[in-house]
Each structure stands twice: as structure tokens, then as C-alpha cells.
Amino acid sequence: MKSDIDRLMRERNIDALLITGAAQHNPAMVYLTGIAKLTQADLVKKQGEAPVVFYNSMERDSAAATGLTSKCLDDYHPQELLKQVGGDRIKARVLRYQRMLEEFGVTSGRVLVYGKVDAGLAYATLEGLGRALPDLTILGEAEDSLLMEAMMTKDAGEAARMKRMGEITLQIVDKLVDWLTSQRARDGVLVKKDGTPCTIDEAKRLMDLWGAERGVEYPDETIFSLGRDAGVPHNPGNPEDALRLGETIILDIFPCERGGGYFYDFTRTWCLGYAPDQVQALYADVANAFNQVVGALKPDAGVAQYQKMVCEIFEAHGHPTVLSTPNTEVGYVHGLGHGVGLNIHERPFVSTNAPAGESLRPGSIFTVEPGLYYPDKGMGVRLEDTFWVQPDGRIAALVEYPKDLVLPVKSA
Amino acid sequence: MKSDIDRLMRERNIDALLITGAAQHNPAMVYLTGIAKLTQADLVKKQGEAPVVFYNSMERDSAAATGLTSKCLDDYHPQELLKQVGGDRIKARVLRYQRMLEEFGVTSGRVLVYGKVDAGLAYATLEGLGRALPDLTILGEAEDSLLMEAMMTKDAGEAARMKRMGEITLQIVDKLVDWLTSQRARDGVLVKKDGTPCTIDEAKRLMDLWGAERGVEYPDETIFSLGRDAGVPHNPGNPEDALRLGETIILDIFPCERGGGYFYDFTRTWCLGYAPDQVQALYADVANAFNQVVGALKPDAGVAQYQKMVCEIFEAHGHPTVLSTPNTEVGYVHGLGHGVGLNIHERPFVSTNAPAGESLRPGSIFTVEPGLYYPDKGMGVRLEDTFWVQPDGRIAALVEYPKDLVLPVKSA
């Protein structure tokens, strides 16, 4: 949790955090500033102290709204710095960061850097900063970083925001189901009143609208894929495809609060009108694995056992999995789930490559999303809910939604 | 232009480009892959050769859709690499990049890095890569980078996409004006049929809807600010504020193609019902400066003269500017404009701190957006259109829209 950051800094011997980039769609900055509207910002947080946010003078109102100590970037006279280094913009940046860190007493020790910015710019700037402040050790981490460790458990306020996103997700899914089931079938295709086919693109544009009406964003494209494409997990669906009856449709929708806030992640698989026998069998295997795994979830349990468990269940039903065939592209081809928060994918990673000891702790919010994929047979099935390990240890989906395979459709 | 990349690589002695991160909301990756849907990707482009894109196996369909040579990241066996380095995720990343670069013969020379990712992760990975491949010089650049230089001029296809964004922007603005002028005034406030006040938040939610209907996104928050807030250039507006008559309203709207494509940038200032004398005078000063500068635009002209020109015009009318008072927060407080493309702010920068020699070349697409700000007097005015230097040297706004200050409103 956010309240763990200072403890984690002490344990990991980190003297300061430096976060850079906009406050929008930049999880580290959003985490420490709240949902702010800064388009250019830096933030320094020393161990045991409150953060200081650096802002562009045109955004002074937004900076003030963060409630943090703030300082205008103009106070470092960027134009003079640029002249001083002969117009070299990297050197000017290095000098500015050097002065900022010197002013706030971060000139030695270990500073951990975050923030979504250009990779090359970050490298060149931090490499120069390391030379300018030789007593400072500049560090970066991957998915197992300090902030990702803090983010791995959510406080009640964060859980409430994610539950709200879940409720909005279900409103959108409800409207989509209403739309799909209020059309007619003709020649195996869903058609509108005017007889033209309903397409994947139309369904997505409607979900965009319903999301916009509810104040949510989709930073990544919603997956609404059909038949063979549903057999490729991240295939977002072919926009022009007409919705055909009897084929698997995967809806994987993961909206977030506008500006880059908390996400919710949800997947259902449907067949319009009817489901062929082989799809029904595939669906039953996924639903069975889903239910078995969810029934086995326990707080403080290591996650690796659940990935192993789902692989064994699928293999017992004759499906290849990543357990026996690491690079398989048919059968069960991915991890069982992942944490969700300000990042759509974060810890805990419930997969083969989860960090050792990764576990479901009170406060964890994570997906369970088994799936089976057979693109050459023209089908794929995935089911996903987002679960919360409550403070008392109970584990439940943040929001509940039926798992019916077939959506009934009338004939035209 | 994109076709200049190889020439620029030769001129700047760059042997390869390495681009990392998702293809969404990541301008460098979008530029080289087209609008792809990859959520995890890398790209290597050697001088004089076509790019190679590296993808996650679940996204193989999207990778194929780029039309580029592609290679699955699983082929580097990330799990084995992770074991090999004792679970250190940074070291495993370094090893993967090392193998990727070795395979494509990029082990010496100068490699320039791009891509929107976590700053610390980028630093730690590239620093390790530099040690693993000591003959490789890893470089990062700032706003004056090679790709930003290429992006500074647009080809006809890019200009057409941006003009289309401009047309959609005007459709949204038209609908907003219709909405505003179809309400009634009561006690100095715009009210709906039911007598409740129209708020800034409502106007923004409507623009979100109209954007979603047209397939565009607003990665940053639209500015729709009133009175005193309009006097602070990047204040996005207070959502709860009722729309009051006779106060300046700044609308600064800059949508982009869904997923992070080309932008358009547009600003108008309005008063509902009537404009007080001092607002009329301020508006006239901004409109005059806008017209004078636009009339003076010439291809191949250095940009610095236009920023100087607008400052001199404003100072002649008694306004402080950044020319005489560099950190002023009243009067004219920012640059005259900026390039627009896959980034909302890119070259050419038409401002005091533009790189020396920055000019308007055929293919440049840039904003002209003079403004005057007096927050303590409760007002701000800005006008902005996006201009294109056509191949034949003519300069015109990509789309045209009226510049009336007052939007008429009927009494309730």
C-alpha cells in the first residue's frame, strides 16, 4: 500500500524517489500526486518525508490541487541553463535535475527513478546526472520494483475506486448484451433492422460511447474478437467482421478512470444464437478450471500453485499448456492472471514467471482468467473476473456477472 | 519526413535505432510501425535497412499487420534467461536485448534509443546493455532528436490525416456551440430547460461523447476554462463551475486518432451573451496579433522572428510579455506555437526557446496561438489554429472556423 512506501524505502536502502513525466497515464506519478492534470512534472520524495512536486508555471493551479509542496520549474531558469551549456538540451536537463536535487539535499545515497518518458532521453539524462553527482547511485527496477511492491496491495479507498470501475464495466457489458440480443439473425449473421450486418467495429464504437458517458477511458483497445481471432488471445478483433452466429466471441474490456487512473479487467465468451458441440465442450473446460481455481484461492497463498493447478486441470482434459509445452500457441497459452491497479498488468503476477514467493496478500486485487485457444479450429474461450483479497482474508470478485455462453437471438 | 530517416541517420552517424514500449501512445513506435495494436514491442532499424519488430506471441496477428519483418520475443526464451541470471529481471532484460542486437548485427557503432517506457527501467536496462556490448555507444536525445527532426515535416498522407482530425475537431466544436447557444440565461448563468445551471463538466462530457462517436481520443484533458481560470493557460477548468455570462471561456481542444495517432490543436475564446468592454479590448489585441502574425508567415522563415513579432505587438498595446519579463504570469506568457503530429507538442517550436535556426519548412504543421492572460482581472483570451506549409510553399490553416467572441444566448 501507499503507506508502505517509507518502510520499503528503509528496507531497500533507498534514500529518495525521483519520478518524472506527466501525471497523466503515468502510474508512478498518479500514485504519488493523486489524479492530477500536470502535463510536465517531476517529483522528489525523500525517505520519511512528503513528496515535492515540480511544475510548469502554466499549470500552477493543477500543482496546487495535488496538495503537495510544489516548486515551479521556471525557478531553475531553463533558458539560462540551455545557454550555459551551449544549447545542448540533454546537458541543460542534467543541470536542472542536479540543481533540483541539490536544493532538496539529494546529492548522495541511492535514488530510485520512475516515470513514463522517452527511454533514450531518460538514459542520457540519468547517465549525465550520475556523472554530475558522483556520490549519487541512480537505480531503476523492473516489474518487481519498490513501487510495484507497494502497489501490489490496495487500501480501502483504492479498492472502492476499482469496484466502481467494475460497476461501470458491467453497465457497459449489460448495454452491449442488450444491443446484441435485440438484433435479428439472417443467414447466420446478426443484422440490424435495416438488414445490414452488425460488425465488430460497431460494437466497439458503442462501448466507446457508453464508456465516455460514464467518464472512463480505454487506453488499450478493447478486445472483441470472433472465431479464429478469438483463438489468438490479444487479437483485438477485425473491425469489418460481421458478427456470425455459433462462433466464439471474446469480450475482454478493461476501462480505467479518465486521465489514467484505476482499471478494472473483465472477460466473457459468448456465442450468438447457439454454440456448436465443440465450443460447448471447450467452454465447459474453461468454466470448470475457473471455478476450481477460484474455489481454491486462499489469502497468503503463493500464486505459482494456481498456475500449476490450472495447467494440470487443462492437461487432464487433453489440452496442451505452457506447463508441458512452454511456447505453445494452442491450448492454454498464458498466465492465469495478474494484479490490476493503476497499471492494467501489475503484481501479483499469477503465472509461470511470477517472482518467487509471489502471493495473494490482504489488499491484493488480481484477475483470474483461464482460457483455451484453438485458432485453427476457429475458436477461443476466456473467462475473467477481478478478485480482491479483503482485509479479513475473504476473496471475492469485486463485481459479479453471469457466465452464460449462448446469447439468444431471434430470426429476422 | 519519414523518408528522411536514413539520410538523417547517415548525417548524424547513427548506425541503428532501437525503439521500445507499446505501439500505443508511443509516438516513435507508431511512426515506424503505423498505428499498430502491440502492447509490448521492440523495434530495431539499421541504417539503410527496413525495421524489424519484436512482438509478444499473443499479438502475432497485430505484428503481422505492421507489414514489417517480425520476430517473436518468446524466441529469446525469457524464462530461461531469467533463471540464468538468478531471477534478476533487469539482467534478464539486458541479456534479451543483447541477443536481439547480436542476432541483427548491432553490436558496435552508435545506437539511438526511443520509446515511452519507465525511466528507471530504461536507464538500468540501457546502462547494463552498454556494459554487455562495450563497442556499442547508446544514445538518447531530447526535443531536437533525429526522429523529432524527421517528424518536423509531414508528407501528404500525414497532412491528410491531420486535416481529417481538424474536420472532426470542428464537428465537435460546432456541436458544442449549438449546445451552448440553445440554452437560456437566468441571473447571469446559462441554464437548461429544467432551470439547473450548465456546468463545465457537462460541456466536457458532451465533447467526450462527440469525440467517441467520431473515433477520436483526448489523451490530455480538454481545456474549457472560465473567467479567472481562463487567465491561467493550462488550467483545464473547474468541473463544477456554472457557465456565467460575460466571462471569457477558453476552449482548447486537441483530439488524436484513437490509440495514439495524429493530433489536431484548436482554441477559441468566447463570451456567452455579451462581452464587457475590457474583454472586448483584450480580444481585439489577441485577434490583431493573430492576424498580423499569420499574414507574415513565410516558408523557410526562422520561427524566432514570429515570437519576437507577437511580443512587440503586445507590448505596443501595453501588455507585459516573455520578451521583456521572461517569467511573467500576466500578459503574454508562453510561446507562439509548436509543431503538431504524433505528439501534441513537437517541432517546430515557435517560441523564445526554439532551437537556433528552427524554421517553417514545406511540410511543417504547427500552431499559431497568441494569448493574453490576466487572472486577477478574471480573464484570459487565446486563439489558435493549426497551419500547414504546403509543398508549394503556401501556408494555410488545415481547417477554418469563425472567430466570433460573443455567443448569443436568449433569456429564460
PDB file of all heavy atoms in Angstrom, chain A residues 2 23 28-38 41-43 51 53 65-68:
ATOM      1  N   LYS A   2       0.251   2.344  -0.373  1.00  0.00           N
ATOM      2  CA  LYS A   2       0.992   3.602  -0.426  1.00  0.00           C
ATOM      3  C   LYS A   2       1.654   3.893   0.925  1.00  0.00           C
ATOM      4  O   LYS A   2       2.771   4.401   0.971  1.00  0.00           O
ATOM      5  CB  LYS A   2       0.021   4.719  -0.798  1.00  0.00           C
ATOM      6  CG  LYS A   2       0.671   5.868  -1.484  1.00  0.00           C
ATOM      7  CD  LYS A   2      -0.261   6.521  -2.489  1.00  0.00           C
ATOM      8  CE  LYS A   2      -0.917   7.749  -1.914  1.00  0.00           C
ATOM      9  NZ  LYS A   2      -1.668   8.480  -2.957  1.00  0.00           N
ATOM     10  N   ALA A  23       1.616  13.682 -15.284  1.00  0.00           N
ATOM     11  CA  ALA A  23       0.837  12.984 -14.260  1.00  0.00           C
ATOM     12  C   ALA A  23      -0.287  12.183 -14.890  1.00  0.00           C
ATOM     13  O   ALA A  23      -1.048  11.536 -14.189  1.00  0.00           O
ATOM     14  CB  ALA A  23       0.261  13.970 -13.251  1.00  0.00           C
ATOM     15  N   ALA A  28       3.231   5.864 -11.754  1.00  0.00           N
ATOM     16  CA  ALA A  28       4.017   6.260 -10.584  1.00  0.00           C
ATOM     17  C   ALA A  28       3.653   7.685 -10.155  1.00  0.00           C
ATOM     18  O   ALA A  28       3.505   7.974  -8.964  1.00  0.00           O
ATOM     19  CB  ALA A  28       5.511   6.160 -10.906  1.00  0.00           C
ATOM     20  N   MET A  29       3.494   8.575 -11.122  1.00  0.00           N
ATOM     21  CA  MET A  29       3.169   9.964 -10.800  1.00  0.00           C
ATOM     22  C   MET A  29       1.741  10.073 -10.258  1.00  0.00           C
ATOM     23  O   MET A  29       1.486  10.804  -9.297  1.00  0.00           O
ATOM     24  CB  MET A  29       3.364  10.837 -12.040  1.00  0.00           C
ATOM     25  CG  MET A  29       3.367  12.322 -11.779  1.00  0.00           C
ATOM     26  SD  MET A  29       4.772  12.876 -10.768  1.00  0.00           S
ATOM     27  CE  MET A  29       5.850  13.557 -12.031  1.00  0.00           C
ATOM     28  N   VAL A  30       0.824   9.340 -10.855  1.00  0.00           N
ATOM     29  CA  VAL A  30      -0.559   9.352 -10.363  1.00  0.00           C
ATOM     30  C   VAL A  30      -0.603   8.822  -8.931  1.00  0.00           C
ATOM     31  O   VAL A  30      -1.302   9.365  -8.069  1.00  0.00           O
ATOM     32  CB  VAL A  30      -1.478   8.500 -11.274  1.00  0.00           C
ATOM     33  CG1 VAL A  30      -2.887   8.415 -10.699  1.00  0.00           C
ATOM     34  CG2 VAL A  30      -1.528   9.078 -12.679  1.00  0.00           C
ATOM     35  N   TYR A  31       0.171   7.783  -8.673  1.00  0.00           N
ATOM     36  CA  TYR A  31       0.175   7.161  -7.340  1.00  0.00           C
ATOM     37  C   TYR A  31       0.594   8.178  -6.280  1.00  0.00           C
ATOM     38  O   TYR A  31       0.012   8.240  -5.205  1.00  0.00           O
ATOM     39  CB  TYR A  31       1.165   6.001  -7.370  1.00  0.00           C
ATOM     40  CG  TYR A  31       1.002   4.965  -6.279  1.00  0.00           C
ATOM     41  CD1 TYR A  31      -0.232   4.423  -5.964  1.00  0.00           C
ATOM     42  CD2 TYR A  31       2.122   4.477  -5.591  1.00  0.00           C
ATOM     43  CE1 TYR A  31      -0.352   3.435  -4.992  1.00  0.00           C
ATOM     44  CE2 TYR A  31       2.007   3.497  -4.628  1.00  0.00           C
ATOM     45  CZ  TYR A  31       0.757   2.975  -4.324  1.00  0.00           C
ATOM     46  OH  TYR A  31       0.641   2.003  -3.358  1.00  0.00           O
ATOM     47  N   LEU A  32       1.588   8.990  -6.593  1.00  0.00           N
ATOM     48  CA  LEU A  32       2.118   9.900  -5.573  1.00  0.00           C
ATOM     49  C   LEU A  32       1.485  11.288  -5.585  1.00  0.00           C
ATOM     50  O   LEU A  32       1.600  12.022  -4.602  1.00  0.00           O
ATOM     51  CB  LEU A  32       3.644  10.005  -5.708  1.00  0.00           C
ATOM     52  CG  LEU A  32       4.339   8.753  -5.147  1.00  0.00           C
ATOM     53  CD1 LEU A  32       5.804   8.724  -5.501  1.00  0.00           C
ATOM     54  CD2 LEU A  32       4.175   8.658  -3.628  1.00  0.00           C
ATOM     55  N   THR A  33       0.820  11.663  -6.676  1.00  0.00           N
ATOM     56  CA  THR A  33       0.210  13.002  -6.701  1.00  0.00           C
ATOM     57  C   THR A  33      -1.315  12.939  -6.614  1.00  0.00           C
ATOM     58  O   THR A  33      -1.952  13.971  -6.482  1.00  0.00           O
ATOM     59  CB  THR A  33       0.539  13.754  -8.019  1.00  0.00           C
ATOM     60  OG1 THR A  33       0.037  13.003  -9.118  1.00  0.00           O
ATOM     61  CG2 THR A  33       2.018  13.993  -8.172  1.00  0.00           C
ATOM     62  N   GLY A  34      -1.920  11.749  -6.687  1.00  0.00           N
ATOM     63  CA  GLY A  34      -3.357  11.670  -6.909  1.00  0.00           C
ATOM     64  C   GLY A  34      -3.581  11.877  -8.398  1.00  0.00           C
ATOM     65  O   GLY A  34      -2.634  11.966  -9.176  1.00  0.00           O
ATOM     66  N   ILE A  35      -4.837  11.935  -8.837  1.00  0.00           N
ATOM     67  CA  ILE A  35      -5.119  12.126 -10.257  1.00  0.00           C
ATOM     68  C   ILE A  35      -4.951  13.606 -10.579  1.00  0.00           C
ATOM     69  O   ILE A  35      -5.886  14.380 -10.471  1.00  0.00           O
ATOM     70  CB  ILE A  35      -6.552  11.682 -10.613  1.00  0.00           C
ATOM     71  CG1 ILE A  35      -6.771  10.223 -10.225  1.00  0.00           C
ATOM     72  CG2 ILE A  35      -6.828  11.870 -12.106  1.00  0.00           C
ATOM     73  CD1 ILE A  35      -6.074   9.227 -11.084  1.00  0.00           C
ATOM     74  N   ALA A  36      -3.751  13.994 -10.921  1.00  0.00           N
ATOM     75  CA  ALA A  36      -3.515  15.398 -11.228  1.00  0.00           C
ATOM     76  C   ALA A  36      -3.538  15.585 -12.730  1.00  0.00           C
ATOM     77  O   ALA A  36      -3.668  14.640 -13.490  1.00  0.00           O
ATOM     78  CB  ALA A  36      -2.190  15.827 -10.650  1.00  0.00           C
ATOM     79  N   LYS A  37      -3.421  16.800 -13.142  1.00  0.00           N
ATOM     80  CA  LYS A  37      -3.584  17.123 -14.558  1.00  0.00           C
ATOM     81  C   LYS A  37      -2.321  17.715 -15.133  1.00  0.00           C
ATOM     82  O   LYS A  37      -2.359  18.425 -16.122  1.00  0.00           O
ATOM     83  CB  LYS A  37      -4.738  18.121 -14.717  1.00  0.00           C
ATOM     84  CG  LYS A  37      -5.880  17.845 -13.756  1.00  0.00           C
ATOM     85  CD  LYS A  37      -7.213  18.002 -14.399  1.00  0.00           C
ATOM     86  CE  LYS A  37      -8.331  17.655 -13.451  1.00  0.00           C
ATOM     87  NZ  LYS A  37      -8.983  16.403 -13.783  1.00  0.00           N
ATOM     88  N   LEU A  38      -1.191  17.450 -14.490  1.00  0.00           N
ATOM     89  CA  LEU A  38       0.046  18.050 -14.964  1.00  0.00           C
ATOM     90  C   LEU A  38       0.512  17.357 -16.232  1.00  0.00           C
ATOM     91  O   LEU A  38       0.528  16.136 -16.312  1.00  0.00           O
ATOM     92  CB  LEU A  38       1.118  17.918 -13.878  1.00  0.00           C
ATOM     93  CG  LEU A  38       0.684  18.458 -12.515  1.00  0.00           C
ATOM     94  CD1 LEU A  38       1.620  17.980 -11.420  1.00  0.00           C
ATOM     95  CD2 LEU A  38       0.633  19.964 -12.559  1.00  0.00           C
ATOM     96  N   ALA A  41       5.995  17.330 -15.373  1.00  0.00           N
ATOM     97  CA  ALA A  41       6.213  17.389 -13.927  1.00  0.00           C
ATOM     98  C   ALA A  41       7.395  16.529 -13.522  1.00  0.00           C
ATOM     99  O   ALA A  41       7.823  15.644 -14.258  1.00  0.00           O
ATOM    100  CB  ALA A  41       4.958  16.925 -13.194  1.00  0.00           C
ATOM    101  N   ASP A  42       7.934  16.822 -12.340  1.00  0.00           N
ATOM    102  CA  ASP A  42       8.890  15.959 -11.672  1.00  0.00           C
ATOM    103  C   ASP A  42       8.473  15.901 -10.218  1.00  0.00           C
ATOM    104  O   ASP A  42       7.760  16.793  -9.728  1.00  0.00           O
ATOM    105  CB  ASP A  42      10.315  16.533 -11.784  1.00  0.00           C
ATOM    106  CG  ASP A  42      10.818  16.526 -13.225  1.00  0.00           C
ATOM    107  OD1 ASP A  42      11.079  15.421 -13.732  1.00  0.00           O
ATOM    108  OD2 ASP A  42      10.918  17.601 -13.827  1.00  0.00           O
ATOM    109  N   LEU A  43       8.916  14.867  -9.544  1.00  0.00           N
ATOM    110  CA  LEU A  43       8.577  14.723  -8.127  1.00  0.00           C
ATOM    111  C   LEU A  43       9.756  14.074  -7.423  1.00  0.00           C
ATOM    112  O   LEU A  43      10.359  13.133  -7.947  1.00  0.00           O
ATOM    113  CB  LEU A  43       7.311  13.862  -7.999  1.00  0.00           C
ATOM    114  CG  LEU A  43       6.767  13.629  -6.590  1.00  0.00           C
ATOM    115  CD1 LEU A  43       5.236  13.545  -6.624  1.00  0.00           C
ATOM    116  CD2 LEU A  43       7.329  12.362  -5.958  1.00  0.00           C
ATOM    117  N   PRO A  51       6.440  14.166  -0.477  1.00  0.00           N
ATOM    118  CA  PRO A  51       6.982  14.486  -1.804  1.00  0.00           C
ATOM    119  C   PRO A  51       6.935  15.989  -2.113  1.00  0.00           C
ATOM    120  O   PRO A  51       6.102  16.719  -1.577  1.00  0.00           O
ATOM    121  CB  PRO A  51       6.038  13.753  -2.769  1.00  0.00           C
ATOM    122  CG  PRO A  51       5.225  12.821  -1.939  1.00  0.00           C
ATOM    123  CD  PRO A  51       5.178  13.399  -0.562  1.00  0.00           C
ATOM    124  N   VAL A  53       6.585  18.394  -5.555  1.00  0.00           N
ATOM    125  CA  VAL A  53       6.263  18.277  -6.975  1.00  0.00           C
ATOM    126  C   VAL A  53       6.732  19.534  -7.708  1.00  0.00           C
ATOM    127  O   VAL A  53       6.591  20.649  -7.204  1.00  0.00           O
ATOM    128  CB  VAL A  53       4.745  17.997  -7.177  1.00  0.00           C
ATOM    129  CG1 VAL A  53       3.886  19.143  -6.710  1.00  0.00           C
ATOM    130  CG2 VAL A  53       4.434  17.678  -8.626  1.00  0.00           C
ATOM    131  N   ALA A  65      -3.430  21.853  -6.656  1.00  0.00           N
ATOM    132  CA  ALA A  65      -4.510  20.899  -6.362  1.00  0.00           C
ATOM    133  C   ALA A  65      -3.988  19.560  -5.860  1.00  0.00           C
ATOM    134  O   ALA A  65      -4.741  18.784  -5.270  1.00  0.00           O
ATOM    135  CB  ALA A  65      -5.375  20.687  -7.611  1.00  0.00           C
ATOM    136  N   THR A  66      -2.714  19.266  -6.070  1.00  0.00           N
ATOM    137  CA  THR A  66      -2.174  17.999  -5.558  1.00  0.00           C
ATOM    138  C   THR A  66      -2.057  18.041  -4.033  1.00  0.00           C
ATOM    139  O   THR A  66      -1.958  17.001  -3.392  1.00  0.00           O
ATOM    140  CB  THR A  66      -0.763  17.690  -6.105  1.00  0.00           C
ATOM    141  OG1 THR A  66       0.156  18.691  -5.639  1.00  0.00           O
ATOM    142  CG2 THR A  66      -0.747  17.662  -7.621  1.00  0.00           C
ATOM    143  N   GLY A  67      -2.030  19.251  -3.455  1.00  0.00           N
ATOM    144  CA  GLY A  67      -1.882  19.377  -2.006  1.00  0.00           C
ATOM    145  C   GLY A  67      -0.455  19.150  -1.529  1.00  0.00           C
ATOM    146  O   GLY A  67      -0.186  19.164  -0.333  1.00  0.00           O
ATOM    147  N   LEU A  68       0.466  18.944  -2.463  1.00  0.00           N
ATOM    148  CA  LEU A  68       1.857  18.692  -2.085  1.00  0.00           C
ATOM    149  C   LEU A  68       2.650  20.001  -2.091  1.00  0.00           C
ATOM    150  O   LEU A  68       2.255  20.977  -2.730  1.00  0.00           O
ATOM    151  CB  LEU A  68       2.497  17.716  -3.077  1.00  0.00           C
ATOM    152  CG  LEU A  68       1.851  16.336  -3.164  1.00  0.00           C
ATOM    153  CD1 LEU A  68       2.461  15.536  -4.309  1.00  0.00           C
ATOM    154  CD2 LEU A  68       2.010  15.577  -1.841  1.00  0.00           C
TER     155      LEU A  68
END
